[in-house]
Amino acid sequence: AQSVAQPEDQVNVAEGNPLTVKCTYSVSGNPYLFWYVQYPNRGLQFLLKYITGDNLVKGSYGFEAEFNKSQTSFHLKKPSALVSDSALYFCAVVRGNKLVFGAGTILRVKS
Amino acid sequence: DAGITQSPRHKVTETGTPVTLRCHQTENHRYMYWYRQDPGHGLRLIHYSYGVKDTDKGEVSDGYSVSRSKTEDFLLTLESATSSQTSVYFCAISERDQYYNEQFFGPGTRLTVL
């Protein structure tokens, strides 16, 4: 069974508008959740993680994510998108002792 | 890509030949990982290491072997390359068990098997 799902292959948003990149998970117990970003021809960069505590997690570059246990979601958000946010975004969850990645969502921010 | 290098960055090889990819870190992190990235699949774990000479299999380990003789180096070997192993390979490191810590990724190696 898929442990983490990113339902949108691509998200398009205008510069200055809020953005959301969706992620849902399906692991038992308390999940450990991560967001990574990949710029063209680069490795992945860590954005933020949820381990425990406050459901709203703040990360790098103005991104934040909201953990929702009842909806088993961990959506990535930013209040005002920048063209430079255009990249490939991965959600990941710890399953067993390994990190399992979603398929990724391309974010395109247009000026 | 702090403190992590991968070599080569690009390689084209033929089916049936052995290929070795190298990951080198200067962070003295204990945990090292090899992933492959394919469209529609995200990243999938091939093998990982939790110390010198300590390695274990990941999700897609068939056709791959690894070795770690020094803290700083983690080698991935394709014993007999196949076209299905055409992919982008990423090395990652982590200071402690991944339950708690994020992983840091290298720049990747693009491998094409003809």
Side-chain angles (χ1 to χ4, degrees), chain B residues 33-51:
Chain B
Y33 311 85
W34 276 108
Y35 292 91
R36 59 177 291 173
Q37 182 180 18
D38 304 290
H41 291 279
L43 274 77
R44 292 179 291 175
L45 182 65
I46 304 171
H47 282 281
Y48 66 101
S49 169
Y50 46 95

Side-chain angles (χ1 to χ4, degrees), chain B residues 58-99:
Chain B
E59 180 186 1
V60 290
S61 59
D62 287 348
Y64 302 95
S65 62
V66 290
S67 65
R68 192 169 178 200
S69 58
K70 298 184 290 185
T71 299
E72 57 266 35
D73 289 326
F74 192 32
L75 303 180
L76 176 70
T77 298
L78 288 65
E79 294 139 9
S80 177
T82 67
S83 58
S84 64
Q85 294 175 312
T86 292
S87 186
V88 181
Y89 291 85
F90 287 98
C91 174
I93 65 174
S94 178
E95 186 173 10
R96 291 188 292 272
D97 189 286
Q98 63 190 23
Y99 283 86

Side-chain angles (χ1 to χ4, degrees), chain A residues 5-22:
Chain A
Q6 296 181 241
E8 302 154 317
D9 292 336
Q10 183 166 320
V11 170
N12 298 309
V13 64
E15 188 175 31
N17 284 2
L19 70 86
T20 299
V21 183
K22 296 179 180 178

Side-chain angles (χ1 to χ4, degrees), chain A residues 3-6 21-25 33-37 44 73-76 88-93 99-105, chain B residues 42-43:
Chain A
S3 298
V4 59
Q6 296 181 241
V21 183
K22 296 179 180 178
C23 172
T24 59
Y25 66 91
L33 296 155
F34 297 77
W35 276 103
Y36 286 83
V37 60
L44 277 68
S73 67
F74 189 56
H75 301 332
L76 182 69
L88 179 58
Y89 290 81
F90 290 100
C91 182
V93 66
L99 200 58
V100 178
F101 288 85
T105 299
Chain B
L43 274 77

